[in-house]
Amino acid sequence: LRVVAGRTVATIDRATGMLVGLGAGGEELLAAPLQPNFWRPVTDNDYGANLQKDMAFWRHAGRDAKALRPPAVSSRGPGSVTVETELAIGLAGAKLALSYEISERGVLVAAKWKPVSAQGPSVVLSGGVAFLRAKEANRHIDVEGPKLRARWKDQGDWQRLTISDPTSATGQPL
């Protein structure tokens, strides 16, 4: 899908919903498609909590996103067009709504995250991590053998539960 607005030329892939080209005055500005990114560089604390492995399914979630419908085009007035699409993110049913407002001034990209539910995913994913949390803010439940106690602002590795199924790959619904 190619949209021209003055000197701005935006190209959106109909199959993926991604902005794959952006030109101004005849010059291409994108070296690669614009993709949502859910990953950040790993920190020392992440390594300590093994998050580089436990959350690895997010590393390519944007690249692997699938368009749920072809882009829809609507006019925003003279010289301005909006292109909207929605992407499926991951296997739990989350969605990302994308909107590209294209005018001669450039392209405004907006995104809205749509989790499966307001409380988070309703599907448990293999490799997911959970912490036991008390009802009171900043209290975490500590289970050590037969002892159960609450600690203030203390979310240690002993409280971390990794939910997994040996027959399911990490990130797959259980």
Side-chain angles (χ1 to χ4, degrees), residues 78-161:
S80 181
V81 171
T82 298
V83 179
E84 295 178 322
T85 190
E86 192 168 61
L87 307 178
I89 305 293
L91 300 171
K95 298 174 185 172
L96 184 69
L98 292 175
S99 173
Y100 306 101
E101 187 175 328
I102 305 159
S103 70
E104 63 184 52
R105 294 187 328 222
V107 177
L108 174 66
V109 181
K112 181 177 182 184
W113 179 246
K114 296 180 175 182
V116 176
S117 72
Q119 292 77 35
S122 60
V123 176
V124 176
L125 300 179
S126 180
V129 175
F131 288 91
L132 299 175
R133 185 180 296 267
K135 287 183 179 181
E136 297 177 31
N138 294 320
R139 290 194 97 181
H140 297 86
I141 297 175
D142 178 3
V143 181
E144 292 182 65
K147 294 180 184 177
L148 176 66
R149 61 182 173 222
R151 297 182 184 216
W152 292 96
K153 297 183 182 179
D154 189 4
Q155 197 166 333
D157 203 35
W158 58 87
Q159 295 166 304
R160 177 185 160 134
L161 304 174

Side-chain angles (χ1 to χ4, degrees), residues 38-109:
F38 301 95
W39 188 255
R40 62 166 173 70
V42 182
T43 67
D44 288 345
N45 287 341
D46 294 336
Y47 284 115
N50 206 35
L51 295 180
Q52 79 281 6
K53 292 180 183 174
D54 293 344
M55 297 295 154
F57 58 91
W58 287 109
R59 186 174 192 111
H60 299 293
R63 179 197 70 190
D64 298 339
K66 305 290 182 214
L68 294 173
R69 65 174 191 267
V73 181
S74 60
S75 176
R76 301 280 302 199
S80 181
V81 171
T82 298
V83 179
E84 295 178 322
T85 190
E86 192 168 61
L87 307 178
I89 305 293
L91 300 171
K95 298 174 185 172
L96 184 69
L98 292 175
S99 173
Y100 306 101
E101 187 175 328
I102 305 159
S103 70
E104 63 184 52
R105 294 187 328 222
V107 177
L108 174 66
V109 181

